[in-house]
Amino acid sequence: GATVLFEAGTERGLDNDLWAIPFAGGAKPTAYVQTAGRQSKAQFSPDGRWATALNANKLELVDIGSGTVTVLASDARLSVWSPDSRRVLFNTAGSTYQVVIGTGKVTLLYSGFRGVQDWTSDGLLVWQNNQLGLMPAPDENATGPLPVMPKPLG
């Protein structure tokens, strides 16, 4: 869309809140989501209906229409959206999980593998674990743990 989502801290640096600003010039930023904690790594879903952010290692889902915040998971380190905005993959300290938006169903996908960095529009996961690689994204109904079979780039 035509809005930038960003996180900004308070004067004392104790909290980060999510702010939004229209891309068109002259507009002022507005506080979009204000919760306790340090929200970071905010990103819109590809369809613009949702956003995710990390807050004290909790993965939060923000409904863009209402501003409602739902905690999807704890111990999250990084999240990536599926191209159709139906799922989010997130890395923990030691594994990668999938959460289905709408149902909240969380599934362990890759045990001992936490290198997923991005999800391409053609359905590939970009991973990094000493080098970059690609592997097919799992089906929405996949049950894990799945084998990790990335193809190194280069």
Side-chain angles (χ1 to χ4, degrees), residues 15 29 34 50 55 70-71 85-86 94 119 123 126 130 141 144 150:
D15 292 323
Q34 294 179 299
W50 308 96
N55 186 350
T70 304
V71 175
S85 302
R86 293 173 46 92
W119 198 327
V126 178
N130 297 334
N141 298 314

Side-chain angles (χ1 to χ4, degrees), residues 22-41:
F23 209 62
K28 294 186 182 221
T30 57
Y32 189 71
V33 176
Q34 294 179 299
T35 60
R38 298 183 60 85
Q39 292 175 318
S40 64
K41 299 181 182 173

Side-chain angles (χ1 to χ4, degrees), residues 43-52 64 81-82 85:
Q43 57 181 319
F44 281 112
S45 62
D47 67 7
R49 292 181 52 211
W50 308 96
T52 54
I64 296 300
W81 280 97
S82 65
S85 302

Side-chain angles (χ1 to χ4, degrees), residues 99-105:
V99 61
V100 177
I101 304 303
T103 68
K105 179 183 174 190

